[in-house]
Structures are given as C-alpha cells and as structure tokens.
Amino acid sequence: MIEQGNSKGSWEGKTVWITGASSGIGRCLAIDLANMGAVVIVSARSVSKLNDLAKISPQKILPLPLDVSDASQIKQVREQLFSRVEAIDVVILAAGVVEYENDLTLDILSYKKVFDVNFFGLVNSVNIAMPLLKNSRHKPYIVGVTSLTVVTGFPRAEIYGASKAAADYFLKALRMDLPTDAFDISIVRPGFVKTPMTDVNDFPMPFIMSAEKAAQTIIVNMNKRKLFINFPRRFYWLLKCMSCCSWLWYRLLAPKLRRG
C-alpha cells in the first residue's frame, strides 16, 4: 500500500510513459500508477508482455512497443505518442539490462549491448519524450532509474556499473541544463530488487526487496519529487560509508567479493 499522505489525487488524470515496463519495477509502477488514476503508456520490446499488462487495466494502461536501443525508432514512436496523447506529464525511464565481466575478457560487444540499452536507450527515450513533456499543463517530470552501483565500485560490475554511472551523470547534468522552474528530475538508485534480471545472479544480494515494494518506495518519493531516490536506505548508507573509506573497501572488503 502506498504511504498515507501521498494520495492518488496527485496522479489522477496524469499521463505517464514508462519504458522497461514489461517486467520488474517498470511493470509494478505501471499497475500502481494506473490504480491511482494515471493513464500509463507502457513500452518494452516484448509485445506479448505489454498486451498482458494492458489487460489488467485496459482503459488506463496503453501498450506501445519500443526497443529503446534503436535510435531509428525515435521519430516513429514520437509520432505514435502524439497520435495517442497531446502531452506527457511524467516519463519513467526504467529499461535496463545487465551483464557481468567474467575473467576480464573485456568483450567490447558486451559493453556495447549494455550501454545501448542502459545509457543510449535512456537518452533516446528522453529525446522521444521531450516535445510531449513540454506540452504538459503540469510541471513535467523525468524519472530515471540507475543503480546503487554508482556509489562505489563492485567486482564484475565493470559493464553494468559503468553504464548506470553514465546514465546517472547524464541525468544530473540534464537537471542543471533544464530550467528548474519548468522541469523536475529524479534519479532512482535501487539496490537489489527481485526481478527476472536479478534472478540470474549467482552471488548474495544483501537487503534484496520485491519489485512491488520497490515501486511503492519510488512512488512515495516521486510524490515528493526528490532529486535522489536511494534505497534500501541501510544499503545506501553502507555503500556511502565504504566510498568515503575507500582504502577499507578496495583493499580489504571488496577483494573478498571476487570470484575464484
């Protein structure tokens, strides 16, 4: 349940576009926001998963297939959005993939594949949404999902962590360049969330939470339009302390997390 005091009234009648909505956090956000009165346009590569999601609330959840990594789709998807709605009030950029660096192969194709979704896909989505955000009668709002991996370095996370750090920095710089009286931006940095993406992880995931709980946490903080949404808080502050005590983290603790 969404925290009391952050009522559905703030979402009633709003138009929200969510990328990465076919599973995990994006899917849970779509369901919650539709239940709170928003019209939610959901995008992902899987047409069948989007159609199944739309069946939950056919009047409120509208599927729009999109591969965020394909820049050639920008014009087409923007036209499809304009054909459905006059404006977007909130865009939530939740599309993401993960690959780990095993044995330091430095496979450039793996880096490119992850960056194409996690970084360039986020930029593509902002590009698509910007004209519709500017049409909003409310203060338009951009919400980007990065990761707590940006706080400090993790073993095997060269690919994923670097892509999320690039997205995180892009959103912080964008916040500086957009007029603060006209736009809001939130950067969501989740820790471990149980999703199909993390189900393949072969290592302990401290403080892991459900996608449903993560979505509720995000919505509560979106209602406050916080610049940074870091959670779980215990994990964030632990990593923050480790980043401040870099000698302890990199020389003593992090090496114990390596494989082999």
Side-chain angles (χ1 to χ4, degrees):
M1 180 176 292
I2 305 299
E3 187 175 291
Q4 190 174 8
N6 296 283
S7 67
K8 63 180 291 184
S10 61
W11 293 96
E12 192 77 43
K14 296 277 183 69
T15 299
V16 182
W17 180 38
I18 304 177
T19 65
S22 61
S23 64
I25 294 174
R27 185 179 188 275
C28 293
L29 285 170
I31 295 170
D32 285 349
L33 292 176
N35 287 338
M36 296 171 75
V39 173
V40 185
I41 302 169
V42 290
S43 290
R45 287 178 293 186
S46 175
V47 176
S48 61
K49 289 182 179 180
L50 290 179
N51 289 337
D52 289 342
L53 177 57
K55 291 176 183 176
I56 296 174
S57 182
Q59 302 303 316
K60 292 291 187 179
I61 301 177
L62 311 177
L64 178 63
L66 166 66
D67 180 353
V68 296
S69 67
D70 186 354
S72 68
Q73 295 186 31
I74 290 177
K75 181 179 178 182
Q76 175 188 352
V77 172
R78 185 184 290 143
E79 289 174 350
Q80 291 175 336
L81 282 169
F82 268 118
S83 70
R84 298 185 182 197
V85 295
E86 295 181 355
I88 291 175
D89 302 302
V90 182
V91 58
I92 302 175
L93 310 166
V97 296
V98 64
E99 285 199 23
Y100 295 108
E101 181 64 88
N102 295 311
D103 304 317
L104 285 179
T105 56
L106 299 176
D107 177 16
I108 194 66
L109 294 179
S110 295
Y111 281 81
K112 185 178 186 304
K113 180 169 68 173
V114 174
F115 267 79
D116 278 347
V117 176
N118 293 357
F119 176 65
F120 292 110
L122 184 142
V123 177
N124 287 339
S125 301
V126 172
N127 190 339
I128 291 170
M130 192 60 73
L132 289 128
L133 287 167
K134 290 179 179 178
N135 286 346
S136 174
R137 291 177 295 177
H138 309 277
K139 190 176 185 181
Y141 189 21
I142 298 171
V143 180
V145 180
T146 65
S147 169
L148 282 184
T149 58
V150 307
V151 178
T152 191
F154 280 83
R156 300 172 60 204
E158 288 88 347
I159 306 174
Y160 178 75
S163 69
K164 288 297 187 178
D168 200 270
Y169 191 92
F170 169 78
L171 291 166
K172 286 186 288 190
L174 186 66
R175 185 68 187 87
M176 299 294 291
D177 284 325
L178 288 174
T180 55
D181 59 338
F183 278 85
D184 278 326
I185 288 183
S186 285
I187 301 171
V188 179
R189 296 168 174 165
F192 293 110
V193 178
K194 183 170 176 51
T195 67
M197 192 168 75
T198 58
D199 284 343
V200 301
N201 287 351
D202 58 356
F203 52 83
M205 293 178 281
F207 307 109
I208 189 168
M209 65 169 56
S210 68
E212 291 80 7
K213 177 63 176 176
Q216 292 167 9
T217 300
I218 292 169
I219 291 173
V220 166
N221 287 281
M222 283 171 58
N223 287 334
K224 302 172 185 176
R225 300 221 166 185
K226 295 184 66 174
L227 176 54
F228 296 108
I229 302 174
N230 303 302
F231 65 92
R233 299 295 295 175
R234 289 177 296 169
F235 194 30
Y236 167 70
W237 284 113
L238 174 62
L239 295 177
K240 191 71 173 176
C241 289
M242 290 301 98
S243 70
C244 294
C245 302
S246 56
W247 63 270
L248 176 64
W249 175 248
Y250 288 106
R251 294 187 180 183
L252 297 180
L253 299 180
K256 296 179 181 180
L257 303 177
R258 294 173 184 159
R259 299 175 70 182

